[in-house]
Amino acid sequence: MPTTTIGGHEIHVNDEGFMTEYDEWTEDLGQALAAQIGVEMSDEHWQAIQFLRRDYPDQGETATLRRVSTVGGIPTKQLFVLFPKKPAKKMAYIAGLPKPRGCV
Amino acid sequence: MTTTQTAPIVPSFDEDADGGRKLAIICSKGTLDMAYPGLILANAALGEGIETHLFFTFWGFDMINKKTMGDLKFTMLGNTATHMPQGLGGIPGMTSMATHQMKKSIAEAGVPEVPDFLQQIVDSGGHLWACRMSADMQHLEAEDLYDEVEAIISASDFIEKTDGAQLLFI
């Protein structure tokens, strides 16, 4: 696994740049990751990211968009506004989690 | 062996997203098992930032007809993929039992029922279109259809709207 340096943090990532170590993530790092992909974080963005972080250890996998909306309570429409075009992947990236593998 | 990159590795989310990729899905079947492939693929495409249009035609109209959309059925008849004797499918009550089973498996997989799924697709920016000829054949008007259907249009209008799109016929 390669490591990469983002905002002064050295982190383990996969070939695409998704973090591979859950515990290496901090909010500060999330901020830096968001900046890398052009997302400016607001409280609403953080709400989604914090849900993904909380949900991952319970479920053992990254929440899909549907899960973020039905369980996390953030409507799908809003997720597309907050993380345009590829919300599920962008959220997973910022939250330092693997890409979601569920189909829906 | 750990290698350290000097430049940060960043996924290229936005590069792939545009480039004008478009997907057109024609939903022509009204059975429960044939409704889902189109919905799942549309949802996946939207999640990848791809402009997606669904055209409901012939039996696919059942997916957007308010009267039937929540009540699609799965039948074992003519479906050898159930790996059950074909004669079983003809026993009274078998279709509702098979439908019940399939709905259960779908729900367990965390997949919404058809009306909810259509809403999710619309919320994700997808476009729903109803076929003019199917509406005429079944004597249905816009108000009989799921509210989020944008319009009843002809097949040629749909072809025009999806100029350059990749197309799936289901």
Side-chain angles (χ1 to χ4, degrees), chain A residues 2-4 16 36 66 76-77 80 85-86 89-90 93, chain B residues 3-5 8-11 14 17-18 48-49 120:
Chain A
T3 65
T4 188
E16 286 182 282
Q36 290 285 342
R66 178 151 183 90
T76 305
K77 257 187 197 167
F80 275 88
K85 288 187 175 168
K86 299 189 183 187
K89 283 187 182 171
K90 287 184 175 177
Y93 177 74
Chain B
T3 52
T4 300
Q5 306 285 321
I9 309 170
V10 179
D14 289 318
D18 32 61
E48 289 299 302
Q120 178 169 324

mmCIF file with all atom_site columns, all heavy atoms in Angstrom, chain A residues 2-4 16 36 66 76-77 80 85-86 89-90 93, chain B residues 3-5 8-11 14 17-18 48-49 120:
data_model
loop_
_atom_site.group_PDB
_atom_site.id
_atom_site.type_symbol
_atom_site.label_atom_id
_atom_site.label_alt_id
_atom_site.label_comp_id
_atom_site.label_asym_id
_atom_site.label_entity_id
_atom_site.label_seq_id
_atom_site.pdbx_PDB_ins_code
_atom_site.Cartn_x
_atom_site.Cartn_y
_atom_site.Cartn_z
_atom_site.occupancy
_atom_site.B_iso_or_equiv
_atom_site.pdbx_formal_charge
_atom_site.auth_seq_id
_atom_site.auth_comp_id
_atom_site.auth_asym_id
_atom_site.auth_atom_id
_atom_site.pdbx_PDB_model_num
ATOM 1   N N   . PRO A 1 2   ? 0.558   2.182  -0.904  1.00 0.00 ? 2   PRO A N   1
ATOM 2   C CA  . PRO A 1 2   ? 1.333   3.423  -0.905  1.00 0.00 ? 2   PRO A CA  1
ATOM 3   C C   . PRO A 1 2   ? 0.914   4.330  0.262   1.00 0.00 ? 2   PRO A C   1
ATOM 4   O O   . PRO A 1 2   ? -0.166  4.163  0.824   1.00 0.00 ? 2   PRO A O   1
ATOM 5   C CB  . PRO A 1 2   ? 0.960   4.081  -2.236  1.00 0.00 ? 2   PRO A CB  1
ATOM 6   C CG  . PRO A 1 2   ? -0.294  3.438  -2.685  1.00 0.00 ? 2   PRO A CG  1
ATOM 7   C CD  . PRO A 1 2   ? -0.435  2.139  -1.963  1.00 0.00 ? 2   PRO A CD  1
ATOM 8   N N   . THR A 1 3   ? 1.789   5.246  0.598   1.00 0.00 ? 3   THR A N   1
ATOM 9   C CA  . THR A 1 3   ? 1.358   6.303  1.517   1.00 0.00 ? 3   THR A CA  1
ATOM 10  C C   . THR A 1 3   ? 1.422   7.601  0.735   1.00 0.00 ? 3   THR A C   1
ATOM 11  O O   . THR A 1 3   ? 2.092   7.694  -0.286  1.00 0.00 ? 3   THR A O   1
ATOM 12  C CB  . THR A 1 3   ? 2.278   6.413  2.755   1.00 0.00 ? 3   THR A CB  1
ATOM 13  O OG1 . THR A 1 3   ? 3.567   6.813  2.308   1.00 0.00 ? 3   THR A OG1 1
ATOM 14  C CG2 . THR A 1 3   ? 2.344   5.111  3.520   1.00 0.00 ? 3   THR A CG2 1
ATOM 15  N N   . THR A 1 4   ? 0.686   8.567  1.212   1.00 0.00 ? 4   THR A N   1
ATOM 16  C CA  . THR A 1 4   ? 0.684   9.855  0.534   1.00 0.00 ? 4   THR A CA  1
ATOM 17  C C   . THR A 1 4   ? 0.625   10.931 1.604   1.00 0.00 ? 4   THR A C   1
ATOM 18  O O   . THR A 1 4   ? 0.232   10.657 2.748   1.00 0.00 ? 4   THR A O   1
ATOM 19  C CB  . THR A 1 4   ? -0.512  9.951  -0.449  1.00 0.00 ? 4   THR A CB  1
ATOM 20  O OG1 . THR A 1 4   ? -0.385  11.125 -1.233  1.00 0.00 ? 4   THR A OG1 1
ATOM 21  C CG2 . THR A 1 4   ? -1.844  9.983  0.286   1.00 0.00 ? 4   THR A CG2 1
ATOM 22  N N   . GLU A 1 16  ? -6.181  4.415  -5.722  1.00 0.00 ? 16  GLU A N   1
ATOM 23  C CA  . GLU A 1 16  ? -7.007  5.543  -6.145  1.00 0.00 ? 16  GLU A CA  1
ATOM 24  C C   . GLU A 1 16  ? -6.900  6.742  -5.200  1.00 0.00 ? 16  GLU A C   1
ATOM 25  O O   . GLU A 1 16  ? -7.430  7.804  -5.494  1.00 0.00 ? 16  GLU A O   1
ATOM 26  C CB  . GLU A 1 16  ? -8.473  5.134  -6.195  1.00 0.00 ? 16  GLU A CB  1
ATOM 27  C CG  . GLU A 1 16  ? -8.838  4.257  -7.370  1.00 0.00 ? 16  GLU A CG  1
ATOM 28  C CD  . GLU A 1 16  ? -10.322 3.949  -7.347  1.00 0.00 ? 16  GLU A CD  1
ATOM 29  O OE1 . GLU A 1 16  ? -10.728 3.075  -6.550  1.00 0.00 ? 16  GLU A OE1 1
ATOM 30  O OE2 . GLU A 1 16  ? -11.069 4.576  -8.087  1.00 0.00 ? 16  GLU A OE2 1
ATOM 31  N N   . GLN A 1 36  ? -8.797  18.819 -1.365  1.00 0.00 ? 36  GLN A N   1
ATOM 32  C CA  . GLN A 1 36  ? -8.175  18.168 -2.529  1.00 0.00 ? 36  GLN A CA  1
ATOM 33  C C   . GLN A 1 36  ? -9.173  17.950 -3.663  1.00 0.00 ? 36  GLN A C   1
ATOM 34  O O   . GLN A 1 36  ? -8.798  17.944 -4.826  1.00 0.00 ? 36  GLN A O   1
ATOM 35  C CB  . GLN A 1 36  ? -7.630  16.782 -2.133  1.00 0.00 ? 36  GLN A CB  1
ATOM 36  C CG  . GLN A 1 36  ? -6.430  16.806 -1.228  1.00 0.00 ? 36  GLN A CG  1
ATOM 37  C CD  . GLN A 1 36  ? -5.172  17.182 -1.980  1.00 0.00 ? 36  GLN A CD  1
ATOM 38  O OE1 . GLN A 1 36  ? -5.105  17.118 -3.193  1.00 0.00 ? 36  GLN A OE1 1
ATOM 39  N NE2 . GLN A 1 36  ? -4.163  17.608 -1.237  1.00 0.00 ? 36  GLN A NE2 1
ATOM 40  N N   . ARG A 1 66  ? -28.166 5.666  -0.256  1.00 0.00 ? 66  ARG A N   1
ATOM 41  C CA  . ARG A 1 66  ? -29.495 5.379  0.298   1.00 0.00 ? 66  ARG A CA  1
ATOM 42  C C   . ARG A 1 66  ? -29.445 5.297  1.820   1.00 0.00 ? 66  ARG A C   1
ATOM 43  O O   . ARG A 1 66  ? -30.325 5.783  2.507   1.00 0.00 ? 66  ARG A O   1
ATOM 44  C CB  . ARG A 1 66  ? -30.060 4.081  -0.280  1.00 0.00 ? 66  ARG A CB  1
ATOM 45  C CG  . ARG A 1 66  ? -31.399 3.761  0.330   1.00 0.00 ? 66  ARG A CG  1
ATOM 46  C CD  . ARG A 1 66  ? -32.324 2.986  -0.544  1.00 0.00 ? 66  ARG A CD  1
ATOM 47  N NE  . ARG A 1 66  ? -33.600 2.807  0.141   1.00 0.00 ? 66  ARG A NE  1
ATOM 48  C CZ  . ARG A 1 66  ? -34.615 3.644  0.055   1.00 0.00 ? 66  ARG A CZ  1
ATOM 49  N NH1 . ARG A 1 66  ? -34.524 4.708  -0.704  1.00 0.00 ? 66  ARG A NH1 1
ATOM 50  N NH2 . ARG A 1 66  ? -35.734 3.419  0.699   1.00 0.00 ? 66  ARG A NH2 1
ATOM 51  N N   . THR A 1 76  ? -31.510 12.577 -0.279  1.00 0.00 ? 76  THR A N   1
ATOM 52  C CA  . THR A 1 76  ? -30.668 12.308 -1.443  1.00 0.00 ? 76  THR A CA  1
ATOM 53  C C   . THR A 1 76  ? -30.371 13.581 -2.238  1.00 0.00 ? 76  THR A C   1
ATOM 54  O O   . THR A 1 76  ? -29.235 13.834 -2.625  1.00 0.00 ? 76  THR A O   1
ATOM 55  C CB  . THR A 1 76  ? -31.378 11.293 -2.361  1.00 0.00 ? 76  THR A CB  1
ATOM 56  O OG1 . THR A 1 76  ? -31.680 10.142 -1.572  1.00 0.00 ? 76  THR A OG1 1
ATOM 57  C CG2 . THR A 1 76  ? -30.501 10.871 -3.529  1.00 0.00 ? 76  THR A CG2 1
ATOM 58  N N   . LYS A 1 77  ? -31.428 14.368 -2.480  1.00 0.00 ? 77  LYS A N   1
ATOM 59  C CA  . LYS A 1 77  ? -31.261 15.608 -3.246  1.00 0.00 ? 77  LYS A CA  1
ATOM 60  C C   . LYS A 1 77  ? -30.171 16.478 -2.652  1.00 0.00 ? 77  LYS A C   1
ATOM 61  O O   . LYS A 1 77  ? -29.352 17.058 -3.351  1.00 0.00 ? 77  LYS A O   1
ATOM 62  C CB  . LYS A 1 77  ? -32.568 16.414 -3.199  1.00 0.00 ? 77  LYS A CB  1
ATOM 63  C CG  . LYS A 1 77  ? -33.392 16.326 -4.449  1.00 0.00 ? 77  LYS A CG  1
ATOM 64  C CD  . LYS A 1 77  ? -34.555 17.303 -4.351  1.00 0.00 ? 77  LYS A CD  1
ATOM 65  C CE  . LYS A 1 77  ? -35.602 16.911 -5.386  1.00 0.00 ? 77  LYS A CE  1
ATOM 66  N NZ  . LYS A 1 77  ? -36.876 17.586 -5.192  1.00 0.00 ? 77  LYS A NZ  1
ATOM 67  N N   . PHE A 1 80  ? -26.601 15.380 -3.274  1.00 0.00 ? 80  PHE A N   1
ATOM 68  C CA  . PHE A 1 80  ? -26.098 15.768 -4.589  1.00 0.00 ? 80  PHE A CA  1
ATOM 69  C C   . PHE A 1 80  ? -25.720 17.252 -4.626  1.00 0.00 ? 80  PHE A C   1
ATOM 70  O O   . PHE A 1 80  ? -24.879 17.655 -5.415  1.00 0.00 ? 80  PHE A O   1
ATOM 71  C CB  . PHE A 1 80  ? -27.124 15.452 -5.686  1.00 0.00 ? 80  PHE A CB  1
ATOM 72  C CG  . PHE A 1 80  ? -27.031 14.031 -6.191  1.00 0.00 ? 80  PHE A CG  1
ATOM 73  C CD1 . PHE A 1 80  ? -27.737 13.010 -5.581  1.00 0.00 ? 80  PHE A CD1 1
ATOM 74  C CD2 . PHE A 1 80  ? -26.216 13.717 -7.270  1.00 0.00 ? 80  PHE A CD2 1
ATOM 75  C CE1 . PHE A 1 80  ? -27.644 11.699 -6.042  1.00 0.00 ? 80  PHE A CE1 1
ATOM 76  C CE2 . PHE A 1 80  ? -26.116 12.409 -7.732  1.00 0.00 ? 80  PHE A CE2 1
ATOM 77  C CZ  . PHE A 1 80  ? -26.832 11.398 -7.116  1.00 0.00 ? 80  PHE A CZ  1
ATOM 78  N N   . LYS A 1 85  ? -22.219 15.511 -8.313  1.00 0.00 ? 85  LYS A N   1
ATOM 79  C CA  . LYS A 1 85  ? -21.874 14.473 -9.293  1.00 0.00 ? 85  LYS A CA  1
ATOM 80  C C   . LYS A 1 85  ? -21.657 13.072 -8.723  1.00 0.00 ? 85  LYS A C   1
ATOM 81  O O   . LYS A 1 85  ? -22.304 12.142 -9.148  1.00 0.00 ? 85  LYS A O   1
ATOM 82  C CB  . LYS A 1 85  ? -20.665 14.888 -10.137 1.00 0.00 ? 85  LYS A CB  1
ATOM 83  C CG  . LYS A 1 85  ? -21.020 15.990 -11.113 1.00 0.00 ? 85  LYS A CG  1
ATOM 84  C CD  . LYS A 1 85  ? -19.882 16.287 -12.060 1.00 0.00 ? 85  LYS A CD  1
ATOM 85  C CE  . LYS A 1 85  ? -20.327 17.317 -13.088 1.00 0.00 ? 85  LYS A CE  1
ATOM 86  N NZ  . LYS A 1 85  ? -19.208 17.845 -13.850 1.00 0.00 ? 85  LYS A NZ  1
ATOM 87  N N   . LYS A 1 86  ? -20.710 12.907 -7.819  1.00 0.00 ? 86  LYS A N   1
ATOM 88  C CA  . LYS A 1 86  ? -20.474 11.556 -7.291  1.00 0.00 ? 86  LYS A CA  1
ATOM 89  C C   . LYS A 1 86  ? -20.500 11.576 -5.771  1.00 0.00 ? 86  LYS A C   1
ATOM 90  O O   . LYS A 1 86  ? -19.476 11.392 -5.117  1.00 0.00 ? 86  LYS A O   1
ATOM 91  C CB  . LYS A 1 86  ? -19.120 11.029 -7.767  1.00 0.00 ? 86  LYS A CB  1
ATOM 92  C CG  . LYS A 1 86  ? -19.007 10.921 -9.275  1.00 0.00 ? 86  LYS A CG  1
ATOM 93  C CD  . LYS A 1 86  ? -17.738 10.206 -9.666  1.00 0.00 ? 86  LYS A CD  1
ATOM 94  C CE  . LYS A 1 86  ? -17.603 10.178 -11.169 1.00 0.00 ? 86  LYS A CE  1
ATOM 95  N NZ  . LYS A 1 86  ? -16.484 9.375  -11.633 1.00 0.00 ? 86  LYS A NZ  1
ATOM 96  N N   . LYS A 1 89  ? -18.979 8.521  -3.538  1.00 0.00 ? 89  LYS A N   1
ATOM 97  C CA  . LYS A 1 89  ? -17.519 8.392  -3.575  1.00 0.00 ? 89  LYS A CA  1
ATOM 98  C C   . LYS A 1 89  ? -16.836 9.572  -2.893  1.00 0.00 ? 89  LYS A C   1
ATOM 99  O O   . LYS A 1 89  ? -15.847 9.401  -2.190  1.00 0.00 ? 89  LYS A O   1
ATOM 100 C CB  . LYS A 1 89  ? -17.042 8.315  -5.024  1.00 0.00 ? 89  LYS A CB  1
ATOM 101 C CG  . LYS A 1 89  ? -17.269 6.957  -5.646  1.00 0.00 ? 89  LYS A CG  1
ATOM 102 C CD  . LYS A 1 89  ? -16.633 6.900  -7.011  1.00 0.00 ? 89  LYS A CD  1
ATOM 103 C CE  . LYS A 1 89  ? -16.909 5.549  -7.663  1.00 0.00 ? 89  LYS A CE  1
ATOM 104 N NZ  . LYS A 1 89  ? -16.491 5.542  -9.069  1.00 0.00 ? 89  LYS A NZ  1
ATOM 105 N N   . LYS A 1 90  ? -17.374 10.757 -3.109  1.00 0.00 ? 90  LYS A N   1
ATOM 106 C CA  . LYS A 1 90  ? -16.762 11.938 -2.497  1.00 0.00 ? 90  LYS A CA  1
ATOM 107 C C   . LYS A 1 90  ? -16.862 11.884 -0.981  1.00 0.00 ? 90  LYS A C   1
ATOM 108 O O   . LYS A 1 90  ? -15.905 12.193 -0.274  1.00 0.00 ? 90  LYS A O   1
ATOM 109 C CB  . LYS A 1 90  ? -17.411 13.220 -3.038  1.00 0.00 ? 90  LYS A CB  1
ATOM 110 C CG  . LYS A 1 90  ? -17.000 13.521 -4.468  1.00 0.00 ? 90  LYS A CG  1
ATOM 111 C CD  . LYS A 1 90  ? -17.560 14.838 -4.967  1.00 0.00 ? 90  LYS A CD  1
ATOM 112 C CE  . LYS A 1 90  ? -17.015 15.134 -6.365  1.00 0.00 ? 90  LYS A CE  1
ATOM 113 N NZ  . LYS A 1 90  ? -17.568 16.366 -6.936  1.00 0.00 ? 90  LYS A NZ  1
ATOM 114 N N   . TYR A 1 93  ? -14.434 9.347  0.371   1.00 0.00 ? 93  TYR A N   1
ATOM 115 C CA  . TYR A 1 93  ? -13.068 9.858  0.283   1.00 0.00 ? 93  TYR A CA  1
ATOM 116 C C   . TYR A 1 93  ? -12.770 10.810 1.449   1.00 0.00 ? 93  TYR A C   1
ATOM 117 O O   . TYR A 1 93  ? -11.758 10.663 2.141   1.00 0.00 ? 93  TYR A O   1
ATOM 118 C CB  . TYR A 1 93  ? -12.868 10.573 -1.056  1.00 0.00 ? 93  TYR A CB  1
ATOM 119 C CG  . TYR A 1 93  ? -11.500 11.185 -1.207  1.00 0.00 ? 93  TYR A CG  1
ATOM 120 C CD1 . TYR A 1 93  ? -10.385 10.379 -1.440  1.00 0.00 ? 93  TYR A CD1 1
ATOM 121 C CD2 . TYR A 1 93  ? -11.308 12.563 -1.096  1.00 0.00 ? 93  TYR A CD2 1
ATOM 122 C CE1 . TYR A 1 93  ? -9.114  10.927 -1.558  1.00 0.00 ? 93  TYR A CE1 1
ATOM 123 C CE2 . TYR A 1 93  ? -10.046 13.119 -1.216  1.00 0.00 ? 93  TYR A CE2 1
ATOM 124 C CZ  . TYR A 1 93  ? -8.953  12.302 -1.446  1.00 0.00 ? 93  TYR A CZ  1
ATOM 125 O OH  . TYR A 1 93  ? -7.709  12.841 -1.556  1.00 0.00 ? 93  TYR A OH  1
ATOM 126 N N   . THR B 2 3   ? 5.566   2.379  -0.410  1.00 0.00 ? 3   THR B N   1
ATOM 127 C CA  . THR B 2 3   ? 6.175   3.424  -1.226  1.00 0.00 ? 3   THR B CA  1
ATOM 128 C C   . THR B 2 3   ? 5.536   4.744  -0.858  1.00 0.00 ? 3   THR B C   1
ATOM 129 O O   . THR B 2 3   ? 4.330   4.814  -0.614  1.00 0.00 ? 3   THR B O   1
ATOM 130 C CB  . THR B 2 3   ? 5.929   3.176  -2.720  1.00 0.00 ? 3   THR B CB  1
ATOM 131 O OG1 . THR B 2 3   ? 4.534   2.983  -2.909  1.00 0.00 ? 3   THR B OG1 1
ATOM 132 C CG2 . THR B 2 3   ? 6.682   1.962  -3.213  1.00 0.00 ? 3   THR B CG2 1
ATOM 133 N N   . THR B 2 4   ? 6.323   5.782  -0.793  1.00 0.00 ? 4   THR B N   1
ATOM 134 C CA  . THR B 2 4   ? 5.767   7.086  -0.469  1.00 0.00 ? 4   THR B CA  1
ATOM 135 C C   . THR B 2 4   ? 5.759   7.957  -1.723  1.00 0.00 ? 4   THR B C   1
ATOM 136 O O   . THR B 2 4   ? 6.773   8.106  -2.387  1.00 0.00 ? 4   THR B O   1
ATOM 137 C CB  . THR B 2 4   ? 6.583   7.764  0.640   1.00 0.00 ? 4   THR B CB  1
ATOM 138 O OG1 . THR B 2 4   ? 6.534   6.913  1.780   1.00 0.00 ? 4   THR B OG1 1
ATOM 139 C CG2 . THR B 2 4   ? 5.999   9.117  1.009   1.00 0.00 ? 4   THR B CG2 1
ATOM 140 N N   . GLN B 2 5   ? 4.550   8.432  -2.027  1.00 0.00 ? 5   GLN B N   1
ATOM 141 C CA  . GLN B 2 5   ? 4.416   9.295  -3.201  1.00 0.00 ? 5   GLN B CA  1
ATOM 142 C C   . GLN B 2 5   ? 4.782   10.713 -2.805  1.00 0.00 ? 5   GLN B C   1
ATOM 143 O O   . GLN B 2 5   ? 4.421   11.166 -1.733  1.00 0.00 ? 5   GLN B O   1
ATOM 144 C CB  . GLN B 2 5   ? 2.949   9.293  -3.675  1.00 0.00 ? 5   GLN B CB  1
ATOM 145 C CG  . GLN B 2 5   ? 2.383   7.927  -3.935  1.00 0.00 ? 5   GLN B CG  1
ATOM 146 C CD  . GLN B 2 5   ? 2.900   7.332  -5.220  1.00 0.00 ? 5   GLN B CD  1
ATOM 147 O OE1 . GLN B 2 5   ? 3.055   8.031  -6.205  1.00 0.00 ? 5   GLN B OE1 1
ATOM 148 N NE2 . GLN B 2 5   ? 3.220   6.048  -5.206  1.00 0.00 ? 5   GLN B NE2 1
ATOM 149 N N   . PRO B 2 8   ? 0.524   14.112 -3.814  1.00 0.00 ? 8   PRO B N   1
ATOM 150 C CA  . PRO B 2 8   ? -0.615  13.403 -3.217  1.00 0.00 ? 8   PRO B CA  1
ATOM 151 C C   . PRO B 2 8   ? -1.411  12.629 -4.269  1.00 0.00 ? 8   PRO B C   1
ATOM 152 O O   . PRO B 2 8   ? -1.560  13.090 -5.393  1.00 0.00 ? 8   PRO B O   1
ATOM 153 C CB  . PRO B 2 8   ? -1.454  14.512 -2.605  1.00 0.00 ? 8   PRO B CB  1
ATOM 154 C CG  . PRO B 2 8   ? -0.859  15.802 -2.981  1.00 0.00 ? 8   PRO B CG  1
ATOM 155 C CD  . PRO B 2 8   ? 0.420   15.561 -3.685  1.00 0.00 ? 8   PRO B CD  1
ATOM 156 N N   . ILE B 2 9   ? -1.891  11.428 -3.889  1.00 0.00 ? 9   ILE B N   1
ATOM 157 C CA  . ILE B 2 9   ? -2.755  10.663 -4.787  1.00 0.00 ? 9   ILE B CA  1
ATOM 158 C C   . ILE B 2 9   ? -4.180  11.136 -4.533  1.00 0.00 ? 9   ILE B C   1
ATOM 159 O O   . ILE B 2 9   ? -4.678  11.032 -3.421  1.00 0.00 ? 9   ILE B O   1
ATOM 160 C CB  . ILE B 2 9   ? -2.683  9.150  -4.474  1.00 0.00 ? 9   ILE B CB  1
ATOM 161 C CG1 . ILE B 2 9   ? -1.233  8.682  -4.431  1.00 0.00 ? 9   ILE B CG1 1
ATOM 162 C CG2 . ILE B 2 9   ? -3.476  8.346  -5.492  1.00 0.00 ? 9   ILE B CG2 1
ATOM 163 C CD1 . ILE B 2 9   ? -1.066  7.254  -3.900  1.00 0.00 ? 9   ILE B CD1 1
ATOM 164 N N   . VAL B 2 10  ? -4.795  11.670 -5.554  1.00 0.00 ? 10  VAL B N   1
ATOM 165 C CA  . VAL B 2 10  ? -6.161  12.173 -5.403  1.00 0.00 ? 10  VAL B CA  1
ATOM 166 C C   . VAL B 2 10  ? -7.024  11.566 -6.506  1.00 0.00 ? 10  VAL B C   1
ATOM 167 O O   . VAL B 2 10  ? -6.640  11.590 -7.668  1.00 0.00 ? 10  VAL B O   1
ATOM 168 C CB  . VAL B 2 10  ? -6.189  13.722 -5.509  1.00 0.00 ? 10  VAL B CB  1
ATOM 169 C CG1 . VAL B 2 10  ? -7.607  14.242 -5.365  1.00 0.00 ? 10  VAL B CG1 1
ATOM 170 C CG2 . VAL B 2 10  ? -5.281  14.343 -4.459  1.00 0.00 ? 10  VAL B CG2 1
ATOM 171 N N   . PRO B 2 11  ? -8.170  10.977 -6.134  1.00 0.00 ? 11  PRO B N   1
ATOM 172 C CA  . PRO B 2 11  ? -9.031  10.425 -7.186  1.00 0.00 ? 11  PRO B CA  1
ATOM 173 C C   . PRO B 2 11  ? -9.547  11.542 -8.102  1.00 0.00 ? 11  PRO B C   1
ATOM 174 O O   . PRO B 2 11  ? -9.767  12.662 -7.637  1.00 0.00 ? 11  PRO B O   1
ATOM 175 C CB  . PRO B 2 11  ? -10.189 9.802  -6.405  1.00 0.00 ? 11  PRO B CB  1
ATOM 176 C CG  . PRO B 2 11  ? -9.839  9.869  -4.970  1.00 0.00 ? 11  PRO B CG  1
ATOM 177 C CD  . PRO B 2 11  ? -8.763  10.885 -4.802  1.00 0.00 ? 11  PRO B CD  1
ATOM 178 N N   . ASP B 2 14  ? -14.064 14.456 -10.807 1.00 0.00 ? 14  ASP B N   1
ATOM 179 C CA  . ASP B 2 14  ? -14.824 15.287 -11.732 1.00 0.00 ? 14  ASP B CA  1
ATOM 180 C C   . ASP B 2 14  ? -14.446 15.075 -13.185 1.00 0.00 ? 14  ASP B C   1
ATOM 181 O O   . ASP B 2 14  ? -15.242 15.322 -14.069 1.00 0.00 ? 14  ASP B O   1
ATOM 182 C CB  . ASP B 2 14  ? -14.713 16.757 -11.323 1.00 0.00 ? 14  ASP B CB  1
ATOM 183 C CG  . ASP B 2 14  ? -15.499 16.989 -10.038 1.00 0.00 ? 14  ASP B CG  1
ATOM 184 O OD1 . ASP B 2 14  ? -16.601 16.447 -9.930  1.00 0.00 ? 14  ASP B OD1 1
ATOM 185 O OD2 . ASP B 2 14  ? -14.981 17.679 -9.144  1.00 0.00 ? 14  ASP B OD2 1
ATOM 186 N N   . ALA B 2 17  ? -16.702 12.506 -14.618 1.00 0.00 ? 17  ALA B N   1
ATOM 187 C CA  . ALA B 2 17  ? -18.131 12.767 -14.483 1.00 0.00 ? 17  ALA B CA  1
ATOM 188 C C   . ALA B 2 17  ? -18.728 13.473 -15.690 1.00 0.00 ? 17  ALA B C   1
ATOM 189 O O   . ALA B 2 17  ? -19.860 13.229 -16.040 1.00 0.00 ? 17  ALA B O   1
ATOM 190 C CB  . ALA B 2 17  ? -18.401 13.581 -13.228 1.00 0.00 ? 17  ALA B CB  1
ATOM 191 N N   . ASP B 2 18  ? -17.952 14.350 -16.315 1.00 0.00 ? 18  ASP B N   1
ATOM 192 C CA  . ASP B 2 18  ? -18.572 15.016 -17.474 1.00 0.00 ? 18  ASP B CA  1
ATOM 193 C C   . ASP B 2 18  ? -18.204 14.263 -18.757 1.00 0.00 ? 18  ASP B C   1
ATOM 194 O O   . ASP B 2 18  ? -18.397 13.076 -18.829 1.00 0.00 ? 18  ASP B O   1
ATOM 195 C CB  . ASP B 2 18  ? -18.240 16.506 -17.521 1.00 0.00 ? 18  ASP B CB  1
ATOM 196 C CG  . ASP B 2 18  ? -16.871 16.804 -16.966 1.00 0.00 ? 18  ASP B CG  1
ATOM 197 O OD1 . ASP B 2 18  ? -15.950 16.342 -17.464 1.00 0.00 ? 18  ASP B OD1 1
ATOM 198 O OD2 . ASP B 2 18  ? -16.730 17.497 -16.011 1.00 0.00 ? 18  ASP B OD2 1
ATOM 199 N N   . GLU B 2 48  ? -22.796 8.125  -10.366 1.00 0.00 ? 48  GLU B N   1
ATOM 200 C CA  . GLU B 2 48  ? -21.526 8.382  -11.034 1.00 0.00 ? 48  GLU B CA  1
ATOM 201 C C   . GLU B 2 48  ? -21.549 9.707  -11.794 1.00 0.00 ? 48  GLU B C   1
ATOM 202 O O   . GLU B 2 48  ? -20.644 9.991  -12.592 1.00 0.00 ? 48  GLU B O   1
ATOM 203 C CB  . GLU B 2 48  ? -21.205 7.248  -12.017 1.00 0.00 ? 48  GLU B CB  1
ATOM 204 C CG  . GLU B 2 48  ? -20.833 5.951  -11.335 1.00 0.00 ? 48  GLU B CG  1
ATOM 205 C CD  . GLU B 2 48  ? -19.592 6.108  -10.465 1.00 0.00 ? 48  GLU B CD  1
ATOM 206 O OE1 . GLU B 2 48  ? -18.541 6.494  -10.995 1.00 0.00 ? 48  GLU B OE1 1
ATOM 207 O OE2 . GLU B 2 48  ? -19.679 5.881  -9.259  1.00 0.00 ? 48  GLU B OE2 1
ATOM 208 N N   . GLY B 2 49  ? -22.623 10.464 -11.586 1.00 0.00 ? 49  GLY B N   1
ATOM 209 C CA  . GLY B 2 49  ? -22.693 11.769 -12.220 1.00 0.00 ? 49  GLY B CA  1
ATOM 210 C C   . GLY B 2 49  ? -23.084 11.730 -13.689 1.00 0.00 ? 49  GLY B C   1
ATOM 211 O O   . GLY B 2 49  ? -22.821 12.655 -14.438 1.00 0.00 ? 49  GLY B O   1
ATOM 212 N N   . GLN B 2 120 ? -36.161 8.092  -5.438  1.00 0.00 ? 120 GLN B N   1
ATOM 213 C CA  . GLN B 2 120 ? -34.717 8.230  -5.224  1.00 0.00 ? 120 GLN B CA  1
ATOM 214 C C   . GLN B 2 120 ? -34.002 8.602  -6.529  1.00 0.00 ? 120 GLN B C   1
ATOM 215 O O   . GLN B 2 120 ? -33.085 9.424  -6.547  1.00 0.00 ? 120 GLN B O   1
ATOM 216 C CB  . GLN B 2 120 ? -34.152 6.918  -4.667  1.00 0.00 ? 120 GLN B CB  1
ATOM 217 C CG  . GLN B 2 120 ? -32.644 6.983  -4.468  1.00 0.00 ? 120 GLN B CG  1
ATOM 218 C CD  . GLN B 2 120 ? -32.114 5.802  -3.683  1.00 0.00 ? 120 GLN B CD  1
ATOM 219 O OE1 . GLN B 2 120 ? -32.758 5.299  -2.762  1.00 0.00 ? 120 GLN B OE1 1
ATOM 220 N NE2 . GLN B 2 120 ? -30.926 5.351  -4.037  1.00 0.00 ? 120 GLN B NE2 1
#
